C-alpha cells in the first residue's frame, strides 16, 4: 500500500456521493498519492464538475488531475487510462446489476477485475473504514511460489489498510471437508487438516502480529465462508487475490473472486501476482 504513488478514481456523475473518491482520499492522505479522477463518458461534458472537484481537493492539499475519456466500453476505458497514467491502484464504486441482466452478460466490474493490470478496490458500501475490521483471505492449501507471493501481498495490503484505518486485521483461510478416502491421512480428520493449515500460517502470523484469535481456519468452500466471515466480523474491507490462468480468452479471474464480489457486504480489494499483471499489460499493449 505504501508503494502506491498514483490512484485512478472512477467518477460516476450520476452517483455524486462519490464513495470511490472518499476511499481514495483516505488512502492518498496516508500514502501522499496523486489522485487522477476519470469520468468514462463519450457524450456529456463533465469538465465543470471535474474542475470543481479538482479545485476543492487541491485546496485540501491533494495532488490531483482529471480526465474524461471513452474507449469502446467502460472496463477498457479504465484500463487504457490506468496504463497511460501509470496508476498503481484503481478505485471504483461497485454498482450491482439486476439479476436478469447479470444472467445475460458479464458485468463490467467483473471484466475490470479480470483484465486490469493492477490492484482494484471495489467500493460496495458507505460504511466507514476507521476502527473497523479488515479481512484478508488467503488459500494456504496452495503453497506453490506463485500463491505464496500472492498471500504475502494480500496480508501486507490488509495490514497496511488496518494501519491507515486504525482497524483490526483478521485473516481467513478455507480448508476442505475431511475425506476418509484421502491418500494423505492428514486430510482424513478435521483436526489434522486445521492443524496443517494453521502451521502454514505461522510465519505471516509472526511477521504481522496476527493472534490465533484473529486467524480463522474454516471448513468449507472459499466463496461461501469468506462472505460469511466478513459478515460476522462486520468487515469494512475484504482483501482477496486471484492467481489468474491464461487461455484463449486471455486472463481469467477465478470464479471464487467473482462469486465473492457479489456476496460480500464490504468493500473488496482484489490483487494479482506480478507475472499475471505483466501478461495483462502485454494484452493492453497489443490492442
Amino acid at each position: 500500500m505504501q508503494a502506491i504513488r498514483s490512484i485512478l478514481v472512477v467518477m460516476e456523475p450520476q452517483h455524486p456521493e462519490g464513495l470511490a473518491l472518499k476511499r481514495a482520499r483516505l488512502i492518498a492522505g496516508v500514502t501522499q498519492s496523486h489522485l487522477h479522477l476519470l469520468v468514462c463518458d463519450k457524450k456529456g461534458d463533465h469538465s465543470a464538475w471535474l474542475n470543481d472537484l479538482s479545485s476543492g481537493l487541491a485546496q485540501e492539499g491533494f495532488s490531483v488531475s482529471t480526465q474524461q475519456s471513452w474507449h469502446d466500453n467502460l472496463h477498457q476505458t479504465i484500463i487504457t487510462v490506468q496504463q497511460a497514467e501509470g496508476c498503481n491502484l484503481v478505485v471504483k464504486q461497485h454498482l450491482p446489476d439486476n439479476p436478469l441482466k447479470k444472467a445475460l452478460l458479464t458485468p463490467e466490474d467483473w471484466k475490470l477485475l479480470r483484465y486490469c493490470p493492477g490492484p482494484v478496490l471495489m467500493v460496495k458500501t458507505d460504511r466507514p473504514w476507521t476502527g473497523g475490521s479488515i479481512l484478508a483471505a488467503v488459500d494456504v492449501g496452495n503453497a506453490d511460489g506463485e500463491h505464496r507471493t500472492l498471500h504475502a501481498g494480500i496480508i501486507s495490503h490488509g495490514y497496511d489498510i488496518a494501519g491507515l484505518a486504525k482497524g483490526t486485521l483478521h485473516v481467513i483461510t478455507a480448508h476442505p471437508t475431511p475425506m476418509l478416502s484421502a491418500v494423505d491421512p492428514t486430510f482424513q480428520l478435521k483436526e489434522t487438516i486445521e492443524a496443517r493449515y494453521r502451521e502454514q500460517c505461522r510465519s505471516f502470523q509472526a511477521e504481522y502480529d496476527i493472534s490465533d484469535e484473529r486467524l480463522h481456519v474454516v471448513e468449507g468452500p472459499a466463496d461461501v465462508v469468506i462472505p460469511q466471515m466478513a459478515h460476522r466480523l462486520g468487515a469494512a474491507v475484504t482483501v482477496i487475490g486471484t492467481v489468474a490462468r491464461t487461455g484463449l480468452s486471455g486472463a481469467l479471474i477465478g470464479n471464487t473472486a467473482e462469486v465473492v464480489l457479489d456476496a460480500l457486504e464490504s468493500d473488496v480489494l482484489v490483487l494479482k501476482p506480478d507475472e499475471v499483471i505483466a501478461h495483462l499489460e502485454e494484452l493492453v499493449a497489443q490492442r
Side-chain angles (χ1 to χ4, degrees), residues 11-116:
M11 303 300 296
E12 311 264 0
Q14 64 275 42
H15 295 278
E17 71 273 18
L19 293 183
L21 182 57
K22 191 182 285 186
R23 298 299 190 238
R25 283 173 54 176
L26 176 65
I27 297 167
V30 174
T31 60
Q32 306 302 304
S33 307
H34 176 79
L35 295 172
H36 187 69
L37 312 185
L38 170 68
V39 170
C40 302
D41 188 358
K42 62 179 173 182
K43 295 186 185 130
D45 177 10
H46 303 284
S47 53
W49 181 58
L50 285 170
N51 286 338
D52 286 349
L53 285 170
S54 176
S55 300
L57 288 163
Q59 283 173 5
E60 292 175 39
F62 289 100
S63 166
V64 60
S65 52
T66 64
Q67 180 179 358
Q68 180 172 336
S69 187
W70 187 258
H71 300 270
D72 297 332
N73 53 48
L74 180 65
H75 75 276
Q76 283 189 7
T77 305
I78 295 168
I79 291 167
T80 302
V81 174
Q82 182 258 341
Q83 288 291 284
E85 296 294 324
C87 297
N88 318 98
L89 174 67
V90 173
V91 184
K92 182 183 182 300
Q93 185 171 345
H94 174 68
L95 303 163
D97 284 312
N98 68 61
L100 180 62
K101 188 178 174 191
K102 184 171 291 184
L104 295 175
L105 48 105
T106 310
E108 283 290 330
D109 283 352
W110 287 6
K111 291 179 183 171
L112 178 63
L113 290 177
R114 278 181 186 156
Y115 300 116
C116 184

